[in-house]
Amino acid sequence: MLRAGLMAGISMAAAMTGSAAMAQSDILEELVVTGSRGKPRTLMDSPVPVDSYNAEDIEAVSFADTQDILKTLVPSYTLPRLPIADGQTFIRPASLRGLSSDKTLLLVNSKRRHRGALVVTGGSGAQPADAAQIPAAALKSVEVLRDGAGAQYGSDAIAGVINFILKDNSSGGMLSIQAGQYYEGDGDEIVVGGNKGFNLGDKGFVSGSFEYITLQPTSRGKQICNVGIANQSAGFCVANLTSTSSDPRIAAYATMTNYQALVQNPAQTWGVPETEAFRTFFNAGYELGETKLYAFANYSHSNARQDFNYRPPIDMNTAATPNDNLIRNPDGTTFAFNQLFPLGFTPKFFGTVTDYSLTVGDKGEWNGLSFDLSGRYGRNKIAYKMTNTINYSLGRASPTVFHPGDLISDEYAANADFGYELKGFTPAPLDVAFGAEFRKESYEIVTGDEASYIVGPYALPDPFDFCTGGNSFAATNTLRPTAPQNAGINCASSSDPVYAVMGAGSNGFPGYPPLYSGKLSRESYAGYLDVSSDLSESLFVEGALRYEHFSDFGDTVDYKVAARYKFGDKLAFRGSIGTGFRAPTTGQLFTTTVSTVVNNGIPVAQGLFPATNAVATYLGGKPLEPEQSTNYSVGLTTSPLPGFSLTADVYVIKVKGLFNAITPITVTPAIASAMTAAGVPGAASIGQVTFFQNALDVTVSGLDLVGTYKVNWSSGQSTDFVASFNYNQPIVDSVDPFVDVTGTQRIYYDSENIRDYKKATPKWRSVLTVNHRMGKLSGMVRANIWGPYEDQFSVANPVVQKFKTEALIDVELNYDINDTYRFTLGGRNVFDNYPEPDRIGESTTNGRIYRSDALVDWQGGYYFAKFTAQF
């Protein structure tokens, strides 16, 4: 539930990360609108921690993606780079305060942002809004509320709220061009961004912004050799496929194809995917009498490509690929897929993301009553494409290009928000805010092309009845031999190619079949009340209450109480307590997919099913429920010296019924039979099953510290120091056990996952920034420091790797040619630091060196040049 005149608070926290150049008097006067429902408040008056970043801060970060900009500026905001993760490569889920991205609510101009179409198919199962669709050039400021706010904003605001405030200039503008590449000589990137403001008569404005990005891929892996890796079964090794091999089959194959000379090196890439994107945003307003009409809209279109895991041409005594497994053609002759792909193949996975939205509204004041009436619509679509792969079950008739289908998420909403100032009840006026919201959300899965999901004849043994079905070899059937022995078929041998069973669907990412396609929608209604006042010159208090009804989950009521008490002008204490919730999204309720994961170096088809699907209920799945949270926060703000400020906030977030994918269950014959009975396409080829459940109760506790200091030198130069620090500790309080229909005792989340939830991400992170200005020259040095973390291999083999603290240093030098033009040279990770390689084998198969889900960047150093014009 969102409104335009939200109130605020800012933790002196990162409020000045980059904009710390403001004088102390300027700091005290800065207002923010995120955090509560009353009037905007100054930074020092905030009862809750909010970080505020202005356009200068945002433009000073060299990343093109708004997600990466947030990661750079906000210590508790983390974002991995996932190069082989299906849709997560195209829409990257982030985390705030250790909680998944769908527990942070995104706003644009204080209005809820629609969700992305991606549903993460493992772990948190997040379906977040995608901040990357908002071009940095469009942003006037960003406000990050680091506190639970379900009572003010509704579902999703468990970890916090991020509010993107759009530029509203009626004249002037800017244009920037940036080009750079990584030290390795790859990842060439060009970013062009701009903004221009226009007058609408003398009472209105239109501010338009755009961003164009082209990014070439990086490769941080090595040639595949899944032999000699700690804790992994021996698998395929490119170097071993030579004419000198002791295996005559391998030696003959290597000689025939000249494999070593022709295979790509590396056979698959681990790194940043190839990307091209164009994004726009428009913001407009017009004063009409006593009210103001407003509208803002966006359109973005992006394409990206990733490599999937390499499928070698020969099995090398593993089940990694069936490329050399013989099958029988309809005429009884044999065929192997390495005849089509003699060098093996690496499937190419493409994602095209199209995103657009429109919000319109009218706000003003009537007889002391402020109002904001608005409506909005948003839509996000991912269209998938695969090339260089096959549907094994179709045999040699399989195409090599597929459209697995599309995912679409859209949302309609109408809001009515009001505010009124009551006098006489408290020493200061009582600010009363109240309002209502209607929202309709939908999720659609669009069927892929038939070849991408069809269960072809080779998904079953003896598809042409050479050895079954009685006398099926009539001489009149010219597609079959008159007798099995005429084609060399040995029906008595189970290893004869006639009995080969091949996987169904486009290999790597089977398409969405009609059975699991369609659309699911739901509606919700909400109302809220927020009251706040200064009860004395020292004490400010606020309380909020919200009721929300979902058509599929029923009712929820949430509250929040916050207060701030100041001691003089230099010290204040603040705190809050509140409840929150997150209703499972329509995408999480509806998604069914089969994807390929790698276990012990071997690709395995893993099926994700809705919790109410027959397969899930067979295995003990229960209908999903909303997550419930309670947030506690206490902190202080102090400014003991001119130009110096410090904030400290301790928080505890307790989440009951945390939403998560269960630990995958290995398919047994009984489970396979259940999937077949449920009509699951290609059930015989699925090796693992998972589904979402409210399986965990967790507690996340931590500490945020931010200090800022500005020094004005007698020479006219100035230096700004900003130090921010986040310590975050997640723990699992309990895990629900369950019993499947066979009576087997299971747990939703195994001990390795529980341990990794607590220890596999850095315990702390700090960002230290120094900005120095002297005339036309200015410079910046930023240190991103990541604390230690650990990773466990598996339950059966609990070997642990401990990763040390890492520091990545960024440097920039700016020269102001005149009041209009600026030239910048800079580098990220200028000392070319990498995290430690994986040493326990969990993340080193198929040429991978580093944990590809690591929060510490593993791309190495990057340098760039940037030209900016302000006009």
Side-chain angles (χ1 to χ4, degrees), residues 61 92 127 146 215 240 248 251 342 361 388 395 450 503 513 524 527 535 539 566 577 620 642 650 679 740 746 750 840:
V61 179
R92 292 191 292 160
Q127 188 195 347
R146 294 178 285 108
L215 173 62
N240 290 350
N388 204 49
E450 186 178 36
S524 63
L535 298 185
L539 178 62
K566 64 179 181 179
I577 180 173
V650 176
D740 67 21
R746 301 182 183 273
D750 67 27
I840 62 174

Short mmCIF file of all heavy atoms in Angstrom, two decimals, residues 61 92 127 146 215 240 248 251 342 361 388 395 450 503 513 524 527 535 539 566 577 620 642 650 679 740 746 750 840:
data_model
loop_
_atom_site.label_atom_id
_atom_site.label_comp_id
_atom_site.label_asym_id
_atom_site.label_seq_id
_atom_site.Cartn_x
_atom_site.Cartn_y
_atom_site.Cartn_z
N VAL A 61 29.10 5.98 -9.23
CA VAL A 61 29.38 4.55 -9.26
C VAL A 61 29.45 4.11 -10.71
O VAL A 61 28.54 4.38 -11.50
CB VAL A 61 28.28 3.76 -8.51
CG1 VAL A 61 28.58 2.27 -8.57
CG2 VAL A 61 28.21 4.23 -7.05
N ARG A 92 18.44 -10.68 -11.58
CA ARG A 92 19.28 -11.13 -10.47
C ARG A 92 18.64 -10.82 -9.12
O ARG A 92 18.46 -9.65 -8.77
CB ARG A 92 20.65 -10.47 -10.56
CG ARG A 92 21.47 -10.93 -11.75
CD ARG A 92 22.90 -10.46 -11.64
NE ARG A 92 23.01 -9.02 -11.76
CZ ARG A 92 24.06 -8.32 -11.33
NH1 ARG A 92 25.04 -8.91 -10.71
NH2 ARG A 92 24.10 -7.03 -11.51
N GLN A 127 10.46 -14.16 -6.07
CA GLN A 127 9.92 -13.51 -7.27
C GLN A 127 9.92 -12.00 -7.00
O GLN A 127 8.89 -11.41 -6.71
CB GLN A 127 8.51 -14.00 -7.60
CG GLN A 127 8.04 -13.47 -8.96
CD GLN A 127 6.55 -13.61 -9.19
OE1 GLN A 127 5.85 -14.31 -8.45
NE2 GLN A 127 6.04 -12.93 -10.20
N ARG A 146 15.90 0.60 6.18
CA ARG A 146 16.42 -0.64 6.74
C ARG A 146 15.64 -0.99 8.00
O ARG A 146 16.16 -0.99 9.11
CB ARG A 146 17.92 -0.49 7.03
CG ARG A 146 18.76 -0.32 5.80
CD ARG A 146 20.23 -0.12 6.11
NE ARG A 146 20.53 1.21 6.62
CZ ARG A 146 20.84 1.48 7.87
NH1 ARG A 146 20.86 0.53 8.77
NH2 ARG A 146 21.11 2.72 8.25
N LEU A 215 27.37 -5.07 -23.36
CA LEU A 215 28.39 -5.70 -22.52
C LEU A 215 28.79 -7.03 -23.14
O LEU A 215 27.94 -7.90 -23.37
CB LEU A 215 27.84 -5.92 -21.11
CG LEU A 215 28.69 -6.73 -20.12
CD1 LEU A 215 30.02 -6.03 -19.87
CD2 LEU A 215 27.94 -6.93 -18.80
N ASN A 240 41.83 -35.79 -21.55
CA ASN A 240 41.93 -37.24 -21.63
C ASN A 240 41.37 -37.81 -22.93
O ASN A 240 41.56 -39.00 -23.21
CB ASN A 240 41.20 -37.89 -20.45
CG ASN A 240 41.91 -37.65 -19.14
OD1 ASN A 240 43.04 -37.17 -19.12
ND2 ASN A 240 41.26 -37.98 -18.03
N PRO A 248 40.31 -47.91 -26.33
CA PRO A 248 40.33 -47.85 -27.80
C PRO A 248 39.15 -47.06 -28.38
O PRO A 248 39.28 -46.42 -29.42
CB PRO A 248 40.28 -49.32 -28.23
CG PRO A 248 39.72 -50.05 -27.03
CD PRO A 248 40.21 -49.29 -25.84
N ALA A 251 40.29 -43.44 -28.08
CA ALA A 251 41.38 -43.17 -29.01
C ALA A 251 40.87 -43.08 -30.44
O ALA A 251 41.27 -42.19 -31.20
CB ALA A 251 42.45 -44.24 -28.88
N PRO A 342 30.00 -33.77 -33.03
CA PRO A 342 31.22 -34.57 -32.80
C PRO A 342 32.15 -33.96 -31.75
O PRO A 342 32.97 -34.67 -31.19
CB PRO A 342 31.88 -34.58 -34.19
CG PRO A 342 31.31 -33.42 -34.91
CD PRO A 342 29.91 -33.29 -34.41
N GLY A 361 -1.95 9.79 -11.42
CA GLY A 361 -2.59 10.17 -10.17
C GLY A 361 -2.87 11.65 -10.08
O GLY A 361 -2.49 12.45 -10.94
N ASN A 388 21.80 -24.61 -29.99
CA ASN A 388 22.92 -25.53 -29.81
C ASN A 388 22.60 -26.61 -28.79
O ASN A 388 23.44 -26.99 -27.97
CB ASN A 388 24.18 -24.77 -29.39
CG ASN A 388 25.45 -25.52 -29.74
OD1 ASN A 388 25.62 -25.97 -30.87
ND2 ASN A 388 26.35 -25.67 -28.78
N GLY A 395 15.29 -38.20 -31.05
CA GLY A 395 16.27 -38.84 -31.90
C GLY A 395 16.87 -37.85 -32.89
O GLY A 395 16.95 -36.65 -32.64
N GLU A 450 6.42 -26.97 -29.49
CA GLU A 450 6.17 -28.37 -29.17
C GLU A 450 7.46 -29.17 -29.01
O GLU A 450 7.57 -30.01 -28.10
CB GLU A 450 5.31 -29.00 -30.27
CG GLU A 450 4.89 -30.43 -29.94
CD GLU A 450 4.01 -31.04 -31.01
OE1 GLU A 450 4.24 -30.74 -32.20
OE2 GLU A 450 3.09 -31.81 -30.65
N GLY A 503 16.24 -38.63 -22.44
CA GLY A 503 15.51 -37.57 -21.77
C GLY A 503 14.63 -36.77 -22.71
O GLY A 503 14.96 -36.57 -23.89
N PRO A 513 5.10 -27.28 -21.03
CA PRO A 513 4.04 -27.97 -21.77
C PRO A 513 2.68 -27.36 -21.47
O PRO A 513 2.52 -26.63 -20.48
CB PRO A 513 4.14 -29.40 -21.24
CG PRO A 513 4.63 -29.22 -19.83
CD PRO A 513 5.55 -28.03 -19.86
N SER A 524 -6.29 -8.47 -3.77
CA SER A 524 -6.11 -8.14 -2.36
C SER A 524 -6.67 -6.75 -2.10
O SER A 524 -6.68 -5.89 -3.00
CB SER A 524 -4.63 -8.21 -1.96
OG SER A 524 -3.87 -7.25 -2.66
N GLY A 527 -6.34 -1.62 4.07
CA GLY A 527 -6.56 -0.30 4.65
C GLY A 527 -5.55 -0.06 5.76
O GLY A 527 -5.11 -1.02 6.41
N LEU A 535 5.55 14.51 21.07
CA LEU A 535 4.89 14.64 22.37
C LEU A 535 5.59 15.66 23.26
O LEU A 535 5.01 16.13 24.24
CB LEU A 535 4.84 13.28 23.06
CG LEU A 535 4.04 12.19 22.32
CD1 LEU A 535 3.97 10.93 23.17
CD2 LEU A 535 2.64 12.68 21.95
N LEU A 539 10.70 14.08 22.47
CA LEU A 539 10.14 12.77 22.17
C LEU A 539 9.20 12.82 20.98
O LEU A 539 8.22 13.58 20.97
CB LEU A 539 9.38 12.23 23.39
CG LEU A 539 8.70 10.87 23.22
CD1 LEU A 539 9.73 9.77 22.91
CD2 LEU A 539 7.88 10.52 24.45
N LYS A 566 15.59 12.57 21.91
CA LYS A 566 16.87 13.26 21.75
C LYS A 566 17.31 13.91 23.06
O LYS A 566 16.49 14.40 23.84
CB LYS A 566 16.78 14.29 20.64
CG LYS A 566 15.81 15.44 20.88
CD LYS A 566 15.83 16.41 19.71
CE LYS A 566 14.87 17.58 19.93
NZ LYS A 566 14.89 18.54 18.81
N ILE A 577 9.35 -1.45 16.87
CA ILE A 577 8.92 -2.84 16.90
C ILE A 577 7.71 -2.93 15.99
O ILE A 577 6.85 -2.04 15.98
CB ILE A 577 8.59 -3.32 18.33
CG1 ILE A 577 8.14 -4.78 18.30
CG2 ILE A 577 7.56 -2.44 18.99
CD1 ILE A 577 7.95 -5.39 19.69
N GLY A 620 4.57 -35.27 0.75
CA GLY A 620 4.32 -34.59 2.02
C GLY A 620 4.17 -33.10 1.92
O GLY A 620 4.16 -32.41 2.95
N PRO A 642 31.22 19.40 14.62
CA PRO A 642 30.78 19.95 13.34
C PRO A 642 31.32 19.09 12.19
O PRO A 642 32.50 18.76 12.14
CB PRO A 642 31.38 21.36 13.32
CG PRO A 642 31.57 21.71 14.75
CD PRO A 642 31.93 20.44 15.44
N VAL A 650 20.97 -1.62 15.94
CA VAL A 650 20.93 -3.06 16.15
C VAL A 650 19.54 -3.56 15.76
O VAL A 650 18.53 -2.91 16.07
CB VAL A 650 21.21 -3.41 17.62
CG1 VAL A 650 21.08 -4.92 17.85
CG2 VAL A 650 22.62 -2.94 18.01
N GLY A 679 0.86 -37.33 -14.72
CA GLY A 679 0.98 -36.82 -16.08
C GLY A 679 2.17 -35.92 -16.30
O GLY A 679 2.14 -35.06 -17.20
N ASP A 740 6.10 -38.66 4.25
CA ASP A 740 5.41 -38.78 2.97
C ASP A 740 4.42 -39.94 3.02
O ASP A 740 4.29 -40.63 4.04
CB ASP A 740 6.41 -38.91 1.82
CG ASP A 740 7.20 -40.22 1.85
OD1 ASP A 740 6.74 -41.19 2.48
OD2 ASP A 740 8.28 -40.27 1.24
N ARG A 746 11.02 -37.50 6.63
CA ARG A 746 11.88 -36.60 5.88
C ARG A 746 11.96 -35.25 6.60
O ARG A 746 11.18 -34.98 7.51
CB ARG A 746 11.34 -36.37 4.46
CG ARG A 746 11.20 -37.62 3.61
CD ARG A 746 10.71 -37.27 2.21
NE ARG A 746 10.48 -38.43 1.39
CZ ARG A 746 11.40 -39.03 0.65
NH1 ARG A 746 12.64 -38.56 0.67
NH2 ARG A 746 11.12 -40.08 -0.08
N ASP A 750 17.96 -29.94 4.75
CA ASP A 750 18.95 -30.80 5.39
C ASP A 750 20.02 -29.98 6.14
O ASP A 750 20.07 -28.76 6.05
CB ASP A 750 19.58 -31.76 4.38
CG ASP A 750 20.44 -31.07 3.33
OD1 ASP A 750 20.98 -29.98 3.60
OD2 ASP A 750 20.57 -31.63 2.23
N ILE A 840 37.14 -27.50 -2.07
CA ILE A 840 36.49 -28.72 -1.57
C ILE A 840 35.69 -29.42 -2.64
O ILE A 840 35.09 -30.46 -2.39
CB ILE A 840 35.59 -28.40 -0.36
CG1 ILE A 840 34.47 -27.43 -0.76
CG2 ILE A 840 36.41 -27.86 0.79
CD1 ILE A 840 33.46 -27.19 0.35
#
